[in-house]
Amino acid sequence: MALMTADEYRERLRDGREVWYKGRRIEDVTLDPDIRVCVDTMAVDYELPEHGELRHLGVVRDPETGEEQSRYYHIPRNGDDLLLHQELIVAGTRLGDGFIPFAKDIGADVLSAIEITARRLGSQDYIDRIGAYGRYLRQNDLAVVAAVTDVKGDRMLRPSDPGQAHEDYYVHVVERRPDGIVVRGAKTHISGAAYAHEMFVIPCRTMGEADKDYALAFAVPCNQPGVRQILRPFHSRISSLEFPNTRPVRVHTESLVIFDDVFVPWERVFLDGEWQASNTLVHSFALLHRRTGVAYRIPMSEQLVGVAQAIAEYNGVAKAPHVVEKLTDMVIYLETLKGLARASCLDYTLHDGVAVPSPMLTNLAKFHFADRYHDMVKIIEDLAGGVLVTATTYADWQRDELRPDIEKYLGGKAGIPTEARLRMLDLIRRLTRSELETIVLQGEGSLMAQRMTIFFEARRILQNAKALVEEIAQVPREA
Ligand SMILES: Cc1cc2nc3c(=O)[nH]c(=O)nc-3n(C[C@H](O)[C@H](O)[C@H](O)COP(=O)(O)OP(=O)(O)OC[C@H]3O[C@@H](n4cnc5c(N)ncnc54)[C@H](O)[C@@H]3O)c2cc1C
């Protein structure tokens, strides 16, 4: 088997996994009315190749078998591979109305990061195991998510620090057996884990020698005994206060994933105690995943620009000088993001045969997007006006005795139907809701995580710039 259809993807989720939602054990995630919405969001990745014009992005030929396979599991070897990968993420996210499907992108980032780490370690065992596991993903076209963020406890303390309230705040090995390892701990905020087939588990920070039992990378099926997921409720429907909308709601859920003495066979273990290599794994994944994050923020930013322009026109203010300035700022925001994202792929380097994007440009792109996001939301809220939070509801619109007044008094520019203005305000409220603010800030690492990488990368730039001006100023060598 090579490519799966969306229905085959769904069918493979009926596997007895342990998922809890709103205090209930969910027997079948594809049938629960809330979680099904998320399943459908992930299924977009499986539908993408059916869109003829996108097939070349989604599908490549397996170099070994010649069979069609997902591009996601094709390890990038040069800048063009990275760019096509990026275009695939952008296309998938556009298909999902601004929501990344998440079936394979984050798993593909881990796959590459583990391959780099195994090669750098020079461990033929690990190279063979990740090679075989990558083949398994490719040939079965599985959805695989990444469980990286540990629950962490006291953030300032290392995993094994005796000051931590217990030793399970980070996932670690509790037993090594002839056939594999047993792991315990918990990961949090894991997107899509409730409706993926497989889960990669890797450390979220570099480990020292004292923490070597936490220097661990492995993969488990999501129904592995002992893996328990608890989901947070989320909005899976258009609010009844809003105009009805037949486009599918796109949403993901994040899981608290508990590993309750879970057995992992050796062939699925990709790091076990080699603490010196945790640095390579953590930083490779962070870089690759931040590039993925940047790519799916492009369609999201396009939507921000779109609603700003639309509501400015509907309100009749699109040509006012301060509005033109604000709309131009939004275009600068979007085009800077796109330019940095593209440049990060073209300015790639090869890490043990795997093409990785420029760390500086990738982190600048993610930082730019997250840091200026609230400025963009502020512009939209300003252009929309107070009606954004005070507009009458759809229930009122439906009343014959109210609708003529609403149509007459909540209109904007002549020629634009009042319904268009009210529908756009609904969309703006959905796009700028506070949950998205947190995703923007924390997804792929907090702002400080990007600052740290930018500063690390900047050391050479700062020294080169200093040397340049010292030469111009003819500073004596010993200064
Ligand atoms: C919607 C969403 C989806 C996500 N999806 C995934 C996913 O699929 N897989 C996954 O693995 N993760 C996922 N994440 C996790 C995301 O990567 C983390 O939220 C992010 O890395 C921050 O970690 P945290 O939430 O534990 O924040 P915290 O670590 O609690 O950080 C809070 C603050 O403390 C600061 N801080 C933390 N530690 C230190 C320290 N040692 N010294 C000084 N300051 C510190 C941070 O800079 C930040 O300002 C997701 C997050 C969100 C919000």
Side-chain angles (χ1 to χ4, degrees):
M1 148 161 209
L3 291 174
M4 247 198 278
T5 65
D7 282 343
E8 287 165 341
Y9 148 73
R10 289 187 186 93
E11 184 55 42
R12 223 177 148 138
L13 297 174
R14 299 187 179 116
D15 58 6
R17 61 190 55 211
E18 186 172 345
V19 170
W20 292 81
Y21 178 66
K22 290 187 183 169
R24 286 177 298 121
R25 170 108 189 242
I26 304 296
E27 294 304 327
D28 181 343
V29 291
T30 67
L31 295 183
D32 180 86
D34 278 358
I35 303 174
R36 193 171 56 200
V37 176
C38 305
V39 172
D40 290 346
T41 302
M42 191 170 270
V44 169
D45 260 340
Y46 290 93
E47 289 160 2
L48 184 139
E50 289 161 21
H51 294 257
E53 73 287 3
L54 300 177
R55 195 170 177 84
H56 75 286
L57 279 180
V59 179
V60 290
R61 293 247 167 226
D62 186 321
E64 288 171 22
T65 63
E67 275 197 320
E68 288 192 320
Q69 62 164 64
S70 169
R71 180 181 297 283
Y72 277 118
Y73 298 135
H74 171 71
I75 303 255
R77 303 291 177 196
N78 53 45
D80 285 345
D81 280 351
L82 283 174
L83 262 186
L84 286 166
H85 219 151
Q86 178 171 294
E87 283 171 26
L88 171 59
I89 298 166
V90 170
T93 309
R94 281 195 188 124
L95 266 189
D97 279 351
F99 258 85
I100 184 166
F102 261 144
K104 305 173 199 171
D105 56 279
I106 189 166
D109 292 335
V110 183
L111 187 66
S112 291
I114 292 180
E115 168 142 346
I116 292 169
T117 309
R119 290 192 181 279
R120 195 149 301 175
L121 256 177
S123 159
Q124 197 54 48
D125 249 5
Y126 287 150
I127 295 172
D128 291 345
R129 285 181 202 172
I130 194 62
Y133 184 72
R135 208 170 304 119
Y136 172 68
L137 291 180
R138 275 201 302 278
Q139 293 178 355
N140 292 279
D141 201 25
L142 299 175
V144 55
V145 294
V148 183
T149 311
D150 291 276
V151 284
K152 293 187 279 205
D154 185 332
R155 272 88 177 117
M156 295 301 282
L157 300 182
R158 314 284 318 174
S160 64
D161 192 298
Q164 291 279 22
H166 57 74
E167 57 187 22
D168 301 333
Y169 276 129
Y170 291 74
V171 173
H172 62 120
V173 181
V174 290
E175 192 189 342
R176 289 187 178 83
R177 301 185 350 197
D179 50 351
I181 56 175
V182 177
V183 301
R184 186 184 303 157
K187 298 277 185 179
T188 187
H189 322 300
I190 310 309
S191 303
Y195 40 92
H197 307 119
E198 291 269 326
M199 202 184 303
F200 267 125
V201 181
I202 62 171
C204 70
R205 62 190 292 175
T206 60
M207 299 295 169
E209 191 169 6
D211 296 314
K212 65 180 178 0
D213 284 344
Y214 298 83
L216 192 59
F218 60 89
V220 282
C222 293
N223 67 344
Q224 183 77 351
V227 174
R228 187 180 314 133
Q229 303 193 36
I230 310 174
L231 314 186
R232 193 185 151 73
F234 48 90
H235 302 288
S236 62
R237 274 171 211 88
I238 297 280
S239 156
S240 59
L241 302 180
E242 296 183 11
F243 278 79
N245 191 320
T246 56
R247 288 180 84 84
V249 172
R250 298 301 185 193
V251 72
H252 279 300
T253 185
E254 278 69 43
S255 302
L256 172 67
V257 185
I258 297 153
F259 296 85
D260 197 359
D261 289 359
V262 173
F263 173 70
V264 186
W266 284 118
E267 63 268 23
R268 282 170 166 267
V269 177
F270 312 118
L271 196 72
D272 172 29
E274 296 84 354
W275 56 275
Q276 301 94 330
S278 59
N279 189 28
T280 304
L281 181 52
V282 167
H283 287 108
S284 301
F285 170 72
L287 171 58
L288 294 166
H289 183 48
R290 229 159 261 168
R291 193 291 309 254
T292 296
V294 165
Y296 76 79
R297 264 55 187 255
I298 291 173
M300 200 173 169
S301 304
E302 286 167 347
Q303 291 188 353
L304 295 179
V305 173
V307 294
Q309 176 68 28
I311 205 65
E313 284 183 22
Y314 296 178
N315 284 347
V317 297
K319 295 206 168 77
H322 80 97
V323 176
V324 169
E325 197 174 305
K326 285 172 178 146
L327 291 171
T328 309
D329 278 352
M330 296 209 63
V331 172
I332 292 171
Y333 173 74
L334 170 63
E335 293 301 318
T336 303
L337 177 67
K338 283 163 67 178
L340 287 170
R342 190 176 160 78
S344 73
C345 295
L346 295 176
D347 195 13
Y348 74 99
T349 41
L350 279 178
H351 287 199
D352 298 275
V354 180
V356 299
S358 151
M360 177 59 101
L361 294 171
T362 303
N363 280 274
L364 281 178
K366 170 66 191 11
F367 187 85
H368 161 76
F369 170 80
D371 190 47
R372 295 221 54 215
Y373 173 81
H374 292 88
D375 296 339
M376 298 304 113
V377 170
K378 185 173 153 193
I379 290 177
I380 294 165
E381 287 167 349
D382 177 41
L383 299 180
V387 69
L388 182 59
V389 290
T390 65
T392 52
T393 66
Y394 179 65
D396 298 320
W397 174 266
Q398 283 175 300
R399 297 296 300 233
D400 290 344
E401 59 270 55
L402 300 180
R403 185 162 165 173
D405 277 344
I406 297 175
E407 274 197 285
K408 178 174 175 188
Y409 292 113
L410 290 190
K413 190 178 170 61
I416 307 280
T418 300
E419 182 180 340
R421 186 164 179 251
L422 294 176
R423 280 184 173 275
M424 195 52 63
L425 293 166
D426 281 348
L427 179 60
I428 292 174
R429 276 191 296 275
R430 291 207 297 276
L431 285 182
T432 57
R433 64 178 197 262
S434 59
E435 290 99 317
L436 286 179
E437 288 180 18
T438 308
I439 297 174
V440 166
L441 278 182
Q442 300 291 359
E444 304 93 42
S446 67
L447 282 176
M448 190 47 71
Q450 286 120 62
R451 265 193 197 280
M452 281 160 60
T453 311
I454 291 169
F455 180 69
F456 181 80
E457 293 292 317
R459 289 175 311 172
R460 186 175 39 84
I461 298 175
L462 291 170
Q463 287 311 315
N464 287 350
K466 177 170 160 253
L468 198 74
V469 293
E470 280 176 345
E471 203 173 312
I472 295 170
Q474 295 199 323
V475 175
R477 274 267 167 255
E478 57 278 10

